[in-house]
Each structure stands twice: as C-alpha cells, then as structure tokens.
Amino acid sequence: MQCQNKAIQLSYKRRFIMNKIYTRRLAVSSPTQKVVLTAEAFLAKYLNRETLLNFIDKGRIDDVEEFSAFFDLLKQGREYAFPRKKREDKGRNPYKYASFLGTGEGCKVMLIGNMENFILDYTRKLCTIDFTLEELIEQAEK
C-alpha cells in the first residue's frame, strides 16, 4: 500500500513538472510582441560593423554564401529547427547548422559576433528580420 502511494505521489510530481515545462515552452514559442529588426538595429545588437566586414572580406567564400542564404531564408519568414550543437569547421571556426523546416534546405551559420544569441532569439520568435546580407553590408559600410 505504501509503495502504491509513493507511485501516485511521483506520478503527480511528474505531471506537475511536465505542466511547468509545457507552460514555459508555450510562453517562449508565442511571445506577445515580435520585433522586426532593421539592418541598423541588427548591427547594434548582434553583430558589429567591423566584425561583419572582416568576415565578408576575409572569410571563406562558401561560408559567406551560406551566411547570405541564411539571411535570405529568414527574410522570407522561414522557420528552422533549433541548432543546439555548436561545431567547428576545419579552420576551427565555430558554427551551427540550421535546417529549415519543410524545405530540405540548410545553412552553415558562422557564429561571429552575437550570432548565437540571434539564432536563439529568432528561434524563440522574439524577432524577425527585414533585410538581406547585402543590405546588412551596405548598412555596415555607412
């Protein structure tokens, strides 16, 4: 009888914890206000001008092209599976791979500046963007 009561108590505790987790995830996935970032705001919050221009000038062409594709897909409003695993490429540069839902497309996103925080904020639907990489570069060059 005592074992059965402990099992019931654990069951209630587990249900309570799962409800808490569900409530938190629901709150994160449906924020009350989504911010649309301009290129200028993005540079101020996530990636400074010098870092971006240095990456464009000195980064591998393939990495820059993937970075550009990433911003193009985000501007279209595409969602991606949250890339949890941080990886390093052959040059020992950190990146995450974002797989876009329903498209079969994916992009290697170099973690320059605060890109990791941006990926998290975008995944949590706290922000969206209204620019491409080309427009971001133009803003950085001003």
Side-chain angles (χ1 to χ4, degrees):
M1 186 72 166
Q2 191 175 10
C3 288
Q4 187 177 12
N5 286 341
K6 282 187 178 183
I8 291 171
Q9 287 176 345
L10 288 175
S11 175
Y12 285 129
K13 185 174 183 178
R14 185 171 191 277
R15 192 174 311 149
F16 174 77
I17 291 169
M18 293 309 291
N19 282 338
K20 281 286 199 190
I21 291 170
Y22 176 75
T23 304
R24 284 186 51 80
R25 288 185 180 179
L26 186 61
V28 166
S29 67
S30 58
T32 55
Q33 195 173 17
K34 185 187 280 190
V35 175
V36 178
L37 293 172
T38 62
E40 187 176 2
F42 183 87
L43 289 170
K45 186 170 184 178
Y46 298 107
L47 187 59
N48 69 44
R49 299 171 196 284
E50 295 80 25
T51 303
L52 173 64
L53 295 175
N54 186 43
F55 172 69
I56 298 302
D57 294 339
K58 298 179 182 174
R60 290 183 48 231
I61 298 296
D62 291 343
D63 293 341
V64 174
E65 287 175 353
E66 295 255 351
F67 209 59
S68 180
F70 177 71
F71 281 99
D72 289 344
L73 290 166
L74 293 186
K75 185 175 180 179
Q76 295 172 16
R78 302 277 178 92
E79 292 185 18
Y80 55 84
F82 178 65
R84 294 174 187 258
K85 186 174 183 181
K86 185 190 284 190
R87 303 172 183 201
E88 282 187 351
D89 62 11
K90 292 178 183 176
R92 305 194 54 84
N93 300 309
Y95 75 95
K96 285 190 174 188
Y97 191 84
S99 299
F100 286 85
L101 304 175
T103 64
E105 298 179 79
C107 298
K108 175 182 175 183
V109 182
M110 301 306 293
L111 299 179
I112 57 175
N114 281 330
M115 282 301 295
E116 194 164 11
N117 289 339
F118 171 70
I119 290 170
L120 187 59
D121 288 350
Y122 189 90
T123 304
R124 290 180 173 168
K125 299 180 181 180
L126 298 176
C127 64
T128 187
I129 63 169
D130 190 28
F131 57 87
T132 62
L133 181 61
E134 291 77 20
E135 294 165 339
L136 189 64
I137 293 168
E138 287 174 10
Q139 183 64 37
E141 289 175 335
K142 288 183 180 179

